[in-house]
Amino acid sequence: MTLDKRLGQRFLPYGANWLDWSDMTELREVIDHRVLFRYQTETESMASRLERVTCERLGAAHTLAVHNCTEALRLALIATRPRIGDRVYMPAVTFVAVAGAVLSCGLIPVLVDADDSLSLDPTLLPADAERVIVAHMEGTVATLPEGVPYLIEDCAQSLGARFPDGRSVGTAGYAGTFSFHHNKILTSGEGGLVISNDEQAWAAMRRYHDHGSARVPGRYPTWNEDAHYGENFVTGEQVAAVQCQQFRHLDELLEGLERMYAIAMRDLPDRADLEVRPRAAGDAKVSLRFRCRDRALRDAAVAALTAEGIANWTLNKYLLPEHPVLTGRRSIYADGFPWNFAPEGSLMLSHDGFARTRDRLDRTLCVPLAPELPEAEQVAAVKAIRRVLEAV
Ligand SMILES: *Cc1c(COP(=O)(O)O)cnc(C)c1O
């Protein structure tokens, strides 16, 4: 296979590069044990092992495994014990799942414009903001607001990224959420984690995700006198097994990304009209992010890379002020819940009606890196990218 062909396949999920029968010891263990329900056994389940390992690696007091990051966001929001119609400030540039999680909890999303790095601009938040979700998009560590009682970090796209002080993303606020969906850094097809250092938050999330119960592993669930209702977000052992396998490769994967990022920063041409943006030391180097002179040049670069079979993407899809789920204020409920609790006016915070953000998105181009390639192939891959970009 030619190098360019291989490059074309180097798309997320990076963890899928490590999916191999010879490496699936956890999955074999679960199948040999013939128990796929995590609370069937009193001994440490595979889901509990995943939670232990992720707590240690991420530096969190508690982790809870769930089916996906959308459930994780819902749990984090519910644990704050909100009132229906409470506002949640969230990024105007992120995946629509965040808005869906907010709305399905009966809460009202307020879209906050992005800063230069395309992360939520904390200077736009009102001083009395109670609930804020910040998303670390594409491995980029966002600046966090200070003094927010319920700060939720959505780390679906940034597993392994670190703040300048070395702490893992997801550990700085009330809760952090992660995804193992197919398009993320590590994958189990679907999968999610919520982490928290707050004892009460974790207890509430654990209860709610298991029918409101006070379950003891190995037993039928029990309900305390003061129990509230819940749902069932309890993960399966087979999924946790794949996640444990994926997680074993996280550091190797991040190192592979760092190595290729360094090669690219050394070898790519210094072009002011097609500038590769430097990333912060703690970012997960998911991609090379280019900022182009204008949209025409960006689109030409997209076409040229695609023609050569080199994977690339843009971020325009994340602009939520134009997303039908938000502009239409529609609901599956007959009474329009929870939009019927929302005020009439604008639920967006921006200095300029998102004009600058729209322009930045139009000029942004991302090229994924290939963590699993040996160094010589990474050098060749960067040359291939260089050749294409020099010709546009
Ligand atoms: C993918 C994604 C989600 C949702 O994750 P799922 O595991 O698919 O539910 C939430 N937020 C962001 C930023 C994402 O990219």
Side-chain angles (χ1 to χ4, degrees):
M1 203 185 307
T2 67
L3 176 67
D4 289 357
K5 276 259 159 52
R6 291 193 59 183
L7 267 182
Q9 295 178 335
R10 296 310 104 186
F11 228 104
L12 292 171
Y14 295 133
N17 297 311
W18 279 271
L19 284 175
D20 190 291
W21 273 120
S22 66
D23 192 44
M24 308 306 287
T25 51
E26 294 90 348
L27 188 56
R28 287 191 183 280
E29 204 178 309
V30 161
I31 301 295
D32 285 344
H33 193 207
R34 291 202 163 76
V35 174
L36 300 182
F37 178 50
R38 72 168 296 180
Y39 292 129
Q40 193 64 30
T41 44
E42 284 172 45
T43 52
E44 186 182 63
S45 66
M46 192 55 73
S48 303
R49 189 192 302 181
L50 172 73
E51 289 166 353
R52 176 169 55 78
V53 168
T54 50
C55 270
E56 284 166 9
R57 172 61 177 78
L58 301 173
H62 298 287
T63 308
L64 187 65
V66 290
H67 298 118
N68 54 60
C69 183
T70 310
E71 281 181 2
L73 285 165
R74 275 171 51 66
L75 282 176
L77 287 164
I78 285 169
T80 68
R81 319 267 337 220
R83 289 182 167 75
I84 281 185
D86 278 350
R87 292 172 186 218
V88 179
Y89 297 89
M90 59 165 281
V93 180
T94 191
F95 184 50
V96 71
V98 182
V102 170
L103 288 160
S104 66
C105 290
L107 305 173
I108 305 300
V110 179
L111 300 183
V112 182
D113 204 353
D115 61 15
D116 187 52
S117 76
L118 294 172
S119 309
L120 179 141
D121 180 352
T123 66
L124 285 168
L125 291 170
D128 64 351
E130 252 196 301
R131 293 177 180 81
V132 177
I133 300 176
V134 170
H136 303 288
M137 297 295 286
E138 258 221 305
T140 302
V141 178
T143 307
L144 299 182
E146 279 170 27
V148 175
Y150 301 114
L151 174 64
I152 298 168
E153 294 176 68
D154 180 353
C155 311
Q157 301 192 5
S158 60
L159 178 63
R162 291 180 188 277
F163 294 109
D165 66 6
R167 283 177 308 161
S168 292
V169 293
T171 59
Y174 180 73
T177 63
F178 296 84
S179 175
F180 286 82
H181 178 263
H182 180 74
N183 285 338
K184 314 298 178 178
I185 295 178
L186 297 179
T187 186
S188 52
E190 297 277 5
L193 290 177
V194 54
I195 68 177
S196 184
N197 293 324
D198 184 310
E199 206 67 39
Q200 280 189 357
W202 179 77
M205 293 190 285
R206 208 227 59 82
R207 268 195 322 271
Y208 190 92
H209 107 299
D210 187 22
H211 309 288
S213 78
R215 161 120 45 193
V216 175
R219 313 252 181 89
Y220 192 78
T222 54
W223 285 265
N224 294 339
E225 276 307 311
D226 60 354
H228 52 69
Y229 69 83
E231 300 182 64
N232 178 5
F233 297 165
V234 177
T235 194
E237 291 285 270
Q238 72 281 19
V239 175
V242 175
Q243 290 164 335
C244 281
Q245 183 270 345
Q246 290 278 288
F247 213 77
R248 273 198 276 116
H249 293 284
L250 178 61
D251 287 317
E252 181 186 350
L253 191 162
L254 294 171
E255 280 161 29
L257 290 173
E258 288 288 343
R259 194 175 56 228
M260 187 163 171
Y261 171 80
I263 294 166
M265 294 313 277
R266 186 190 69 200
D267 292 354
L268 283 179
D270 195 14
R271 241 180 104 163
D273 62 344
L274 217 167
E275 178 203 3
V276 57
R277 309 267 296 175
R279 281 177 169 279
D283 283 10
K285 310 293 188 302
V286 170
S287 68
L288 301 172
R289 247 195 208 186
F290 294 89
R291 187 154 301 162
C292 309
R293 182 189 58 225
D294 52 33
R295 181 164 190 154
L297 182 61
R298 195 278 305 267
D299 291 346
V302 166
L305 288 165
T306 306
E308 285 299 311
I310 298 176
N312 64 86
W313 61 69
T314 61
L315 303 178
N316 297 68
K317 61 194 172 214
Y318 292 133
L319 187 63
L320 294 185
E322 294 170 2
H323 197 290
V325 160
L326 288 138
T327 55
R329 291 200 183 189
R330 277 175 295 271
S331 168
I332 195 76
Y333 286 89
D335 64 355
F337 173 87
W339 290 113
N340 52 340
F341 290 88
E344 285 290 324
S346 167
L347 288 167
M348 303 187 191
L349 297 178
S350 172
H351 290 303
D352 61 1
F354 303 98
R356 239 175 351 148
T357 296
R358 218 172 267 122
D359 174 62
R360 280 189 192 118
L361 289 170
D362 282 348
R363 293 189 291 117
T364 299
L365 162 69
C366 304
V367 176
L369 298 175
E372 83 291 5
L373 293 183
E375 183 163 353
E377 287 190 44
Q378 290 184 331
V379 170
V382 169
K383 271 210 188 89
I385 297 165
R386 176 183 181 131
R387 217 172 31 242
V388 173
L389 292 182
E390 275 177 344
V392 294

